Amino acid sequence: IWKDPNCGCCKDWIAHLETNGFRTKVFDEGNSAARARLGMPQQLGSCHTATVSGYVIEGHVPASEITRLLAERPDALGLAVPGMPIGSPGMDGPAYGGRQDAYDVLLVARNGQTRVYRHYDGR
């Protein structure tokens, strides 16, 4: 996982992954260069970029969607949750007062095209 060393929501997302059985290795050097090197389109960017089993994971992707990706093994670059939607893993702490915005987890093709992999409703 590549992230800014001072990003609190990144730390919370990493804790979410670890709670859900993922082992992590963190590089506190920012993620823009990693995102570019791995081929994730900049317009899908968020505050952290990760890799798992050959896939790129951009942003606050729920661990359940990563598990699904690894089970289904689609021919794709990976998953992305662009931006930092409130209520997504890592953006769901007490500071947000239980707020949950709607957001999409996108399946990103190797050519950069996307489709909705899962939609999360707001409340």
Side-chain angles (χ1 to χ4, degrees), residues 33-102:
R35 185 183 317 120
R37 178 176 47 80
L38 296 167
M40 182 60 69
Q42 293 296 324
Q43 69 268 24
L44 301 178
S46 184
C47 55
H48 51 265
T49 305
T51 59
V52 60
S53 296
Y55 289 105
V56 181
I57 307 298
E58 180 69 28
H60 293 269
V61 176
S64 59
E65 302 311 321
I66 298 171
T67 300
R68 175 182 164 205
L69 178 78
L70 296 175
E72 294 177 354
R73 303 293 304 173
D75 181 19
L77 178 66
L79 298 175
V81 172
M84 299 167 64
I86 306 284
S88 61
M91 294 292 294
D92 55 353
Y96 304 104
R99 183 173 141 198
Q100 171 100 32
D101 293 347

